[in-house]
Amino acid sequence: MPSNVSQRQNNKLESDESVRTARTGIRGRPRADALTSDRRSQILKVSARLFAEYGFENTSVRQIADEVNLLAGSLYHHFATKEDILHEILQEPLRRIVEDNIAITKLQVDAEHKLIINTITRFRRHVYDGHFDSIILNDGNFFRRRADFAYVQKAKQRVFDLLETILKDGMVAGLFHPGIDTYLMIGTIARILASAAAWFRSGDIYTSDKPASYSFDRVLDFHLDCILRMIRTPSRLNEPIPREACERLALLV
Amino acid sequence: MPSNVSQRQNNKLESDESVRTARTGIRGRPRADALTSDRRSQILKVSARLFAEYGFENTSVRQIADEVNLLAGSLYHHFATKEDILHEILQEPLRRIVEDNIAITKLQVDAEHKLIINTITRFRRHVYDGHFDSIILNDGNFFRRRADFAYVQKAKQRVFDLLETILKDGMVAGLFHPGIDTYLMIGTIARILASAAAWFRSGDIYTSDKPASYSFDRVLDFHLDCILRMIRTPSRLNEPIPREACERLALLV
DNA sequence: GTCTATACAGTGATAGAC
DNA sequence: GTCTATCACTGTATAGAC
């Protein structure tokens, strides 16, 4: 899954032509099979990728238009402003976060299982909603400055609230060591998962003697291990991590 | 130290006027006491702050010029390009990283002490070279795209190399548990410290029931504890963290 | 639904007067 | 060392023809 998306092809002429002929070929007859009203979702998909790579403010509407073979002006038939595109990109991933949290809260398992399931789920989302995740990470300053994007912070808050509940429950149940500063630990766990997923997506290789292509599962296991070491009460450190059981439950989330 | 720098005052007219009178008042007589040839370092300081807050690409030369009470064109008497300003901002913090690494390598202490000293040093740099750190973090994509900034990656590599040596030594010495995947652990530790420092600087408060103003030392202790839990061989988990001894050595670094 | 054409503010950078 | 004036370009966005 790790990939390097670097080549910013300057395919203006080439693609302009190819598509123009394609379009003329079906003039007046909107195909239902392919991407008809899909212009809209096509724009969303391309924008998400560009925003993730260059940042929202550093992506121009011309760049977006180029990649969907439109002229800049034509974008404004589909969206009122560039910011509206961003709003719509954020909508679904944010909804998923809320749904995940509700589902995990309802589970009838102990705090450690919930922690593991939450970790699996969050890490999966971070990795597979990669564009969303990059945007949230890279344009964090932008979202903080702009009041009309405050709902982004609200979703983040929900994630923190769930983690807080889990940590406190686990401490009461004696599963986690009693000295945990939940406030600091919540932030630390969240940042570990987000930044690890960003690394995993980018496929960044920093050390020479490990060309290393790590699988999703291996990276996930590593971080589960780290998090449980930070949190478990020492006497429980050698207990196995109920990975499979939690994995099954995580799929239902 | 945590602060919120949000207000981007639109004081163009106001400051334009006030300064113009101030300058006319001392026309022709450059004061030696204040900032004479300091124009240059003043520009660097202001630029670092702006780049850190808005990102390099989203900061305009006019913004910089405004804040040092110059016109945009005049900046080009001091620097050839906007990118040169960035190059110079990066120079010193990067040099410090290299020096830190050399100093730590030379220390005659065991791997765990080195790990702790390295953690203290890195965290301190992250927090107090805050502008540098924000730039590295926020404009990471920019640096990765641009070959003429490759030296940034090189410094990062040195940090990783040192951590790798420490981890391997500690495992051989039986101080750290033997199963550590050093490659993954290096990245995880580095990201934990960088992202924790970014959080600490921003003073971001995400949970309602903890208004919490954490001290530098408290946050550092928390992360030292987390890192050692992840790494120590279980039987050594209850040994105290030699904080003071390492703190003294870290000050010499 | 897309294109042509354009408005208009902002961008990094330069030339030459003072 | 700073200012004035300006260049060539890119930024988001709009109006109206097809």
Side-chain angles (χ1 to χ4, degrees), chain B residues 3 11 23 25 37 65 92 102 108 175 177 189 211 233 240 243:
Chain B
S3 64
N11 60 356
R23 258 208 303 275
S37 135
E92 239 194 66
I102 294 171
Q108 300 292 327
L175 295 168
H177 72 85
I189 292 175
T233 195
R243 173 75 145 84

Side-chain angles (χ1 to χ4, degrees), chain B residues 137-170:
Chain B
L137 218 64
N138 296 333
D139 294 306
N141 266 333
F142 173 78
F143 293 128
R144 244 166 276 137
R145 282 199 302 271
R146 299 286 309 269
D148 43 334
F149 283 92
Y151 61 86
V152 172
Q153 286 299 110
K154 276 205 187 126
K156 217 170 141 186
Q157 181 68 47
R158 282 173 188 258
V159 174
F160 287 136
D161 289 343
L162 173 58
L163 257 176
E164 186 171 30
T165 305
I166 293 175
L167 288 180
K168 285 183 172 163
D169 287 354

Side-chain angles (χ1 to χ4, degrees), chain A residues 11-253:
Chain A
N11 60 356
K12 215 173 179 179
L13 289 174
E14 178 228 318
S15 65
D16 249 344
E17 193 198 353
S18 65
V19 168
R20 201 175 301 275
T21 38
R23 259 210 301 278
T24 346
I26 52 158
R27 151 121 26 151
R29 181 174 51 86
R31 297 175 300 171
D33 61 321
L35 335 161
T36 305
S37 132
D38 258 0
R39 256 303 140 69
R40 200 185 158 78
S41 53
Q42 193 189 1
I43 292 168
L44 288 171
K45 224 173 81 184
V46 163
S47 300
R49 199 185 72 236
L50 293 174
F51 292 167
E53 188 168 2
Y54 302 104
F56 171 70
E57 294 172 291
N58 284 318
T59 303
S60 70
V61 291
R62 282 195 246 266
Q63 243 175 302
I64 299 169
D66 276 2
E67 299 232 5
V68 295
N69 300 304
L70 280 183
L71 293 202
S74 305
L75 281 183
Y76 289 86
H77 176 78
H78 304 279
F79 297 93
T81 68
K82 184 179 140 188
E83 297 198 355
D84 278 359
I85 299 180
L86 180 56
H87 279 298
E88 205 156 320
I89 288 172
L90 300 176
Q91 207 177 7
E92 239 193 66
L94 285 174
R95 190 180 46 70
R96 274 197 281 274
I97 289 176
V98 175
E99 285 172 358
D100 287 347
N101 273 24
I102 294 172
I104 292 173
T105 304
K106 281 183 184 163
L107 289 174
Q108 299 292 325
V109 293
D110 68 26
E112 180 165 293
H113 281 73
K114 278 194 183 178
L115 177 69
I116 296 169
I117 292 164
N118 184 60
T119 300
I120 295 173
T121 306
R122 295 275 63 235
F123 191 67
R124 213 202 313 269
R125 296 292 193 211
H126 279 308
V127 170
Y128 290 108
D129 285 352
H131 290 158
F132 167 76
D133 214 53
S134 294
I135 294 169
I136 295 297
L137 218 62
N138 295 333
D139 294 306
N141 264 334
F142 173 79
F143 293 129
R144 245 166 275 136
R145 282 200 302 271
R146 300 287 309 269
D148 42 335
F149 283 92
Y151 60 87
V152 171
Q153 286 298 110
K154 278 209 184 122
K156 217 170 143 188
Q157 181 67 48
R158 280 173 189 259
V159 174
F160 287 136
D161 289 344
L162 173 58
L163 256 177
E164 185 171 31
T165 306
I166 293 174
L167 288 180
K168 285 186 171 162
D169 288 354
M171 286 165 76
V172 170
L175 296 167
F176 306 154
H177 73 84
I180 299 174
D181 182 323
T182 55
Y183 183 78
L184 290 181
M185 189 57 86
I186 292 166
T188 299
I189 293 175
R191 286 190 300 267
I192 286 176
L193 292 180
S195 62
W199 162 79
F200 181 69
R201 288 193 315 262
S202 79
D204 198 6
I205 296 299
Y206 41 77
T207 260
S208 36
D209 57 335
K210 279 223 187 177
S213 143
Y214 283 96
S215 70
F216 176 91
D217 278 331
R218 173 127 181 230
V219 175
L220 175 55
D221 279 339
F222 175 84
H223 287 94
L224 274 175
D225 185 67
C226 283
I227 290 172
L228 288 178
R229 279 179 195 275
M230 291 193 305
I231 284 183
R232 272 181 167 174
T233 196
S235 63
R236 296 186 59 256
L237 258 189
N238 287 322
E239 286 190 25
I241 299 175
R243 172 78 145 80
E244 273 80 27
C246 290
E247 183 76 36
R248 273 195 303 276
L249 286 167
L251 285 176
L252 304 177
V253 164

Side-chain angles (χ1 to χ4, degrees), chain B residues 47-95:
Chain B
S47 300
R49 201 185 69 235
L50 293 173
F51 292 166
E53 186 167 4
Y54 302 106
F56 172 70
E57 294 173 291
N58 285 317
T59 303
S60 70
V61 290
R62 286 194 240 269
Q63 241 176 303
I64 299 169
D66 275 2
E67 299 230 7
V68 293
N69 300 304
L70 281 184
L71 292 202
S74 305
L75 281 184
Y76 290 85
H77 176 77
H78 302 278
F79 297 92
T81 66
K82 183 179 141 188
E83 297 197 355
D84 279 358
I85 299 180
L86 179 55
H87 278 298
E88 205 156 321
I89 288 172
L90 299 176
Q91 207 177 7
E92 239 194 66
L94 285 174
R95 191 181 46 69

